[in-house]
Amino acid sequence: MPDTITIIDDRTGKKVTVPITDGVFPSSAIRELDPSLFVYDPAYLSTAACKSSITYLDGDNGILRYRGYPIEQLAEKSTFLEVAYLLLNGELPNGAQLDQWTHDVTHHTFIHENMRKRFVDGFHYDAHPMGMFVSAVAALGTFYNQAKDIEDKDSRDKQILRLIAKMPTLAAMCHRFSVGLPFVYPDNDLSFSANFLHMMWKVGEYQVNPVLERAMDVLFILHADHEQNCGTTAMRVVGSSHADPYSACSAAAAALYGPLHGGANEAVVRMLEDIGSLDEVPAFIQSVKDGKGRLMGFGHRVYKNYDPRARIIKQVAYEVFEVTGKNPLLDIALKLEEVALTDEYFTSRRLYPNVDFYSGLIYQAMGFPISMFTVLFAIPRTAGWLAHWQELLADKDQKISRPRQWYTGADTRDYVALSAR
Ligand code: ACO
C-alpha cells in the first residue's frame, strides 16, 4: 500500500499526490490544488499545527511519555525539577547538571517587592486567585525588560529560569492575599514542592510533611506537559507573534482557567458536593445522559481510554488520605466512576476519567481551597509551555499563527442612514 494520499479537485480534475508520514500529510497539497482553497477544521480536530519532540500521547492506548520516558516511570522515580529539565533540554540531567539547575531555580524564587505591595495589593479582596495569577504572570514580565529580546539565548534561558522558579511564589502570594494572610518569603533550603507548601501554609511553626511534599511533586510531574492542549496552543499562538514569554505564559494560563480545561478539577469537586450522597449518583448519571450537564473529570479530546495520569493520581490520593484523612467526597467519586464505566452512554462515547477526576480530591484533602486548583495546574505546566515556546522559536517551519476563516456574513450592502433604519 503506498504511503501517499491523492486529492482530486472535482471542479477542475486537477489532482495532487503527497506523502503520508506518521499519519500526517502536508496541507501544501491543498494549496497546490488551488491556493484559494481552505480546510474547514473548527477546534483543529484534524490539524497538526507543528512538529514536536516533547511529549508523545497515544489516546487510544492511554500512553503518555515525556521525551520518550513513560509517565509512570517519571512519576515513580523522578522529581518535578528533573522533569522540567528533561522537557526543556530533551535529556535527563546528569548529577552536575541537576545540581546546577536545582541551585539556579532555587535562587530565583523571590519576586520584586513591588509585585506584591503595589500590584497584588490592588486586587479586590475577593479576587479569584487564578484571575490574579494570570495578571501577575504578565505583570512580572514588566520587571524584566530584556525579556522582549527573544532572539538572545541567554535572555531566553534567564526568563525560563525565572518563570519556573517564581510561579510557586506568585501562586502562594495570590492565595495568601485572597485569605488575608501575610506573604511568606521563599525558603531556599527547601525543595521546589516543599517550598511551595511552606509559602502556602506557614503560620508560626510549620514542618512540611514528606508524604505531602512527594505527592505535590508527583502531581507537578503529571501536569508538566500534555502536548498541544488548549493552553499550550495559546502559548504557541501568542509566542508566534514574538511576544515576551511572560505575556505568552499569561495567555496560556488564561486558556487553562476555563472549566473545560484546567478549571475542570474545580468543577469536579463542585459537582461531587452538589451530588452530596451515594444515593444521588444514579439520578445524577441519568441527568447527564439526558443532556443536563456533563460528568466533569470524564472525557478527553485525545484520550479515548483511561487517562494514565488518572491512574497514578488515584494511587497518590490514597497515600495522601493516609496523612490527611479520607476526603468524604471520595466515595461519591468512586461510585460515579464505577457506574459510568459500565454505562453504555459513557462506554460507547469512550468517556473515561481524566487527570482532573481525582486531583481535586487530593488538593482539597491537602487544604487547598477550590479556587486554587487551576493555579496548582499552572505551576508545573509552565515547564511544558516554555519547552514548547523554545521549540516554536527554533522551528524554521513556523510563522506567526494566522488561521483562515470561512466567511458566512452578509454580502456587500450600502450603508443605511440612521433615519431610514
Ligand atoms: N459527560 C457527558 N458527556 C460527555 C462528556 C462528559 N464529561 N464529555 C463528552 N461527552 C459527550 C458529548 O456530549 C458528546 O456526545 P454526543 O456525541 O451524543 O453529542 C460526545 O461525548 C463527544 O463530546 P465532545 O464534546 O465532542 O468531545 P470533545 O473532545 O470536544 O470534548 C472535553 C472533550 C471538553 C474534555 C469533554 O469531554 C468535557 O467537556 N469533559 C468534561 C470537562 C473535563 O473534564 N475537562 C478536563 C479535560 S482534561 C484537561 O483539560 C486537563
Side-chain angles (χ1 to χ4, degrees):
M1 199 166 58
D3 274 348
T4 55
I5 185 165
T6 299
I7 306 170
I8 303 170
D9 186 340
D10 290 330
R11 300 168 306 171
T12 59
K14 192 174 171 187
K15 62 178 180 181
V16 172
T17 300
V18 285
I20 301 176
T21 313
D22 297 336
V24 180
F25 73 90
S27 66
S28 59
I30 313 285
R31 287 198 293 281
E32 240 182 85
L33 271 184
D34 177 352
S36 63
L37 204 56
F38 298 106
V39 176
Y40 179 56
D41 186 17
Y44 315 118
L45 288 176
S46 304
T47 298
C50 63
K51 290 179 189 158
S52 182
S53 60
I54 300 170
T55 288
Y56 176 77
L57 207 171
D58 175 347
D60 283 333
N61 294 307
I63 294 173
L64 174 63
R65 299 181 199 132
Y66 296 159
R67 301 281 189 187
Y69 294 101
I71 192 69
E72 293 80 4
Q73 291 182 24
L74 293 170
E76 189 191 336
K77 298 177 177 156
S78 190
T79 62
F80 169 69
L81 276 191
E82 192 177 60
V83 165
Y85 185 100
L86 171 70
L87 289 169
L88 288 159
N89 297 287
E91 297 297 336
L92 286 168
N94 63 28
Q97 288 166 330
L98 183 59
D99 285 350
Q100 185 66 50
W101 170 242
T102 305
H103 174 273
D104 290 347
V105 172
T106 307
H107 288 85
H108 282 85
T109 48
F110 278 68
I111 53 173
H112 196 288
E113 280 290 275
N114 282 353
M115 265 303 291
R116 183 174 60 89
K117 289 187 181 155
R118 304 250 180 266
F119 183 76
V120 173
D121 278 1
F123 281 106
H124 199 48
Y125 71 93
D126 62 352
H128 193 290
M130 189 59 185
M132 295 168 70
F133 182 81
V134 168
S135 332
V137 174
L140 190 65
T142 65
F143 289 82
Y144 308 108
N145 282 330
Q146 74 275 30
K148 294 189 185 326
D149 196 359
I150 61 152
E151 308 292 344
D152 177 1
K153 182 171 177 348
D154 288 344
S155 171
R156 283 201 307 272
D157 289 348
K158 194 63 171 283
Q159 312 319 321
I160 287 172
L161 197 55
R162 284 181 173 137
L163 274 159
I164 288 179
K166 294 180 201 305
M167 287 300 192
T169 316
L170 290 184
M173 178 183 71
C174 294
H175 166 71
R176 309 266 317 188
F177 177 84
S178 71
V179 291
L181 279 170
F183 180 62
V184 172
Y185 288 100
D187 181 340
N188 291 348
D189 291 329
L190 299 175
S191 73
F192 187 85
S193 298
N195 185 34
F196 172 58
L197 294 174
H198 155 87
M199 288 188 286
M200 280 292 300
W201 307 128
K202 184 175 164 61
V203 180
E205 276 302 302
Y206 175 70
Q207 285 293 326
V208 180
N209 182 298
V211 175
L212 302 186
E213 176 185 351
R214 179 62 193 159
M216 196 75 250
D217 215 52
V218 172
L219 285 158
F220 284 166
I221 291 171
L222 298 180
H223 287 88
D225 193 49
H226 211 234
E227 53 118 300
Q228 312 306 321
N229 54 81
C230 182
T232 303
T233 300
M235 180 82 194
R236 279 180 172 268
V237 170
V238 175
S240 79
S241 76
H242 289 185
D244 69 85
Y246 298 86
S247 303
C249 274
S250 170
L256 192 67
Y257 197 175
L260 295 188
H261 191 11
N265 51 13
E266 179 171 341
V268 169
V269 172
R270 292 195 198 283
M271 173 187 78
L272 296 174
E273 284 173 349
D274 282 350
I275 294 171
S277 75
L278 288 175
D279 298 345
E280 296 298 325
V281 168
F284 177 78
I285 290 283
Q286 191 54 49
S287 74
V288 169
K289 289 161 65 176
D290 293 343
K292 295 188 189 124
R294 291 199 161 192
L295 174 51
M296 300 310 287
F298 258 67
H300 197 276
R301 170 60 58 77
V302 183
Y303 289 119
K304 302 302 169 195
N305 200 326
Y306 213 101
D307 181 338
R309 300 168 300 173
R311 254 187 240 288
I312 301 167
I313 285 185
K314 199 171 169 185
Q315 179 56 36
V316 172
Y318 286 108
E319 289 162 19
V320 167
F321 297 159
E322 286 285 313
V323 178
T324 61
K326 194 173 86 176
N327 187 325
L329 298 175
L330 177 67
D331 289 337
I332 300 176
L334 288 169
K335 186 72 189 162
L336 272 177
E337 182 186 335
E338 182 192 313
V339 173
L341 290 182
T342 50
D343 189 300
E344 200 271 335
Y345 174 93
F346 296 92
T347 52
S348 65
R349 289 170 178 77
R350 306 184 69 190
L351 300 169
Y352 294 90
N354 61 47
V355 69
D356 286 319
F357 194 64
Y358 287 104
S359 63
L361 294 183
I362 304 181
Y363 296 147
Q364 201 179 42
M366 287 172 81
F368 290 102
I370 290 177
S371 56
M372 274 298 285
F373 289 4
T374 318
V375 181
L376 295 172
F377 195 152
I379 294 170
R381 183 54 59 87
T382 302
W385 292 334
L386 291 165
H388 284 272
W389 178 65
Q390 286 191 141
E391 192 174 63
L392 165 90
L393 295 180
D395 184 347
K396 297 280 177 276
D397 286 351
Q398 291 295 332
K399 293 171 184 286
I400 185 167
S401 284
R402 206 308 185 181
R404 304 303 296 244
Q405 66 165 10
W406 178 355
Y407 179 69
T408 57
D411 207 346
T412 182
R413 47 185 174 164
D414 289 324
Y415 179 77
V416 180
L418 184 58
S419 57
R421 277 177 240 157

